[in-house]
């Protein structure tokens, strides 16, 4: 089998998706399975759907189109604000989009009228992480106009935390979201279907017995794919954290001095390459795997192996003894390493043992 390759265990993903949807369903929370880390790969998307997830979400309309073209009929949510230049595609392929700009919602309304479709809108509220979101003071005005726009249906409100500034979902900001939902419903005499509390970073909040208030929806990627919550990178109990592995092949193995020699300056990928603390000689191997294939800092190594450096195409590792040329090393990617491996044309994808 060729390497580098990303191996995906669909049975483990099925288990993770099923377990999470069952636990959240019991709390009255619906899950949108987020497909962006795997670029909407139809086999993986179908695994999530079989496991009981009813809607899929992606930040890129291109990935949503891939799933539509593969015949996936599930409801699709665009989870990044649409681009003005793509509203036609958004209306064509997605049922709902997350929005923060009236100018865009107006454009979606035009496009939806043209396509004779109803497009659902969830308004995202800024609750402190300072990525996307309408400021609280402006929310009512945006709701008021959204409700008037033809072919637009206001589905609900939502928020996104922990992505830019690392602000954690907690009782306080989640209660604010609930209060906003109540206030909008009271002011406009409407019912909001969706109150979307966030992403995998909401796992601790949701499973630690917090008062969930009006939150009835989460958008989950990492929790399903890697079985972990992203704020402390803790494994979620009962889930697999090894559904994905990245495999690289050894192309050089030699005993080398632990210390580099010569004048030191910057290296290809680091302004200050770390200086090894080891003395004497080490068993150093090189894998044909680098920054063009993955995020080398995001690889969990098997026991006995330490990553010592990486450039575009080389991963330098140290092991107890020299690894045979042509042998393979298997890593567990974190989210960043997974996304990079998924998008790299050099990394082949293998699903349940078959090229995909
Ligand atoms: C990426 C993303 C998600 C999913 O995040 P995970 O941490 O993978 O669960 C949810 N919502 C939005 C807006 C996103 O951009």
């Amino acid at each position: 089998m060729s390497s580098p390759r990303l191996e995906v265990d669909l049975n483990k993903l099925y288990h993770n998706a099923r377990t999470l949807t069952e636990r959240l369903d019991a709390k009255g929370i619906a899950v949108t399975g987020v497909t962006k880390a795997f670029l909407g790969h139809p086999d993986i998307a179908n695994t999530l759907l079989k496991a009981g997830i009813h809607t899929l979400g992606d930040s890129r309309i291109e990935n949503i189109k891939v799933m539509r073209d593969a015949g996936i009929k599930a409801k699709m949510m665009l989870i990044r604000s649409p681009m003005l230049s793509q509203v036609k595609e958004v209306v064509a392929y997605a049922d709902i989009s997350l929005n923060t700009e009236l100018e865009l919602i107006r454009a979606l309304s035009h496009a939806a009228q043209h396509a004779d479709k109803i497009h659902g809108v969830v308004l995202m509220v800024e609750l402190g992480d300072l990525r996307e979101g309408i400021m609280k003071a402006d929310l009512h005005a945006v709701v008021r106009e959204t409700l008037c726009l033809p072919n637009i249906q206001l589905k609900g409100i939502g928020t996104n935390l922990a992505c830019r500034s690392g602000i954690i979902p907690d009782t306080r900001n989640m209660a604010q979201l609930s209060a906003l939902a109540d206030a909008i419903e009271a002011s406009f005499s409407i019912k909001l279907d969706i109150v979307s509390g966030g992403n995998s970073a909401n796992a601790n909040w949701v499973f630690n017995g917090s008062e969930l208030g009006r939150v009835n929806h989460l958008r989950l990627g990492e929790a399903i794919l890697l079985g972990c919550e992203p704020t402390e990178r803790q494994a979620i109990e009962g889930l697999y954290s090894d559904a994905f592995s990245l495999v690289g092949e050894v192309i050089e193995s030699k005993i080398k001095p632990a210390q580099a020699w010569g004048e030191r300056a910057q290296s290809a990928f680091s302004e200050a390459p770390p200086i090894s603390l080891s003395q004497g000689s080490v068993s150093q191997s090189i894998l044909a795997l680098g920054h063009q294939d993955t995020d080398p800092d995001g690889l969990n190594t098997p026991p006995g192996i330490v990553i010592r450096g990486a450039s575009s195409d080389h991963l330098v590792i140290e092991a107890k003894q020299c690894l045979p040329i042509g042998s393979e090393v298997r890593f567990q990617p974190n989210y960043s390493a997974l996304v990079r491996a998924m998008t790299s044309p050099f990394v082949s994808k293998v699903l349940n043992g078959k090229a995909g």
Side-chain angles (χ1 to χ4, degrees), residues 252-281:
E252 179 188 299
S253 258
K254 298 191 187 304
I255 307 286
K256 291 200 178 182
Q259 296 292 334
W261 64 93
E263 286 288 312
R264 287 177 79 92
Q266 301 184 4
S267 72
F269 283 87
S270 169
E271 283 184 19
I275 294 171
S276 170
L277 298 175
S278 320
Q279 294 297 331
S281 300

Side-chain angles (χ1 to χ4, degrees), residues 34 36 59 79-80 98 124 131-132 160 163 198-201 219-223 230 335:
V34 175
K36 67 190 183 203
S59 44
I79 62 171
R80 182 173 69 184
L98 308 186
M124 296 295 276
R131 205 181 71 177
E132 74 274 38
N160 194 70
C163 276
N199 53 48
S200 297
R219 314 171 302 271
L220 299 183
E222 185 163 354
Y335 195 77

Side-chain angles (χ1 to χ4, degrees), residues 27 170-171 204-213:
K27 292 177 175 288
D170 59 17
T171 2
N204 284 338
W205 168 78
V206 79
F207 290 128
N208 288 352
S210 313
E211 171 57 54
L212 302 184

Side-chain angles (χ1 to χ4, degrees), residues 157-177:
I157 62 171
T159 195
N160 194 70
L161 297 169
C163 276
R164 179 197 158 187
S165 310
I167 301 303
I168 297 172
D170 59 17
T171 2
R172 209 164 136 192
N173 46 40
M174 287 298 111
Q176 283 171 356
L177 187 66

Side-chain angles (χ1 to χ4, degrees), residues 3 9 21-22 28 42 57 78 91 115 121 157 190 199 212 223 225 231 236 245 256 279 283 293 314 336-337 350 353:
S3 57
D9 186 326
T21 43
E22 279 171 357
L78 181 71
V91 165
V121 162
I157 62 171
I190 54 169
N199 53 48
L212 302 184
L225 303 176
T231 62
I236 299 175
S245 357
K256 291 200 178 182
Q279 294 297 331
S283 301
D293 307 290
H314 296 80
S336 165
V350 178

Side-chain angles (χ1 to χ4, degrees), residues 65 67 70 100 131 147 162 172 199 208 221 245 292 315 336 343:
K65 182 171 185 301
M67 294 188 276
T100 63
R131 205 181 71 177
L147 287 171
R172 209 164 136 192
N199 53 48
N208 288 352
S245 357
Q292 292 214 53
L315 190 76
S336 165
T343 44

Side-chain angles (χ1 to χ4, degrees), residues 66-79:
V66 164
M67 294 188 276
R68 286 285 185 236
D69 289 348
I72 296 179
K73 300 275 188 294
K75 281 240 182 308
M76 299 272 182
M77 181 183 262
L78 181 71
I79 62 171

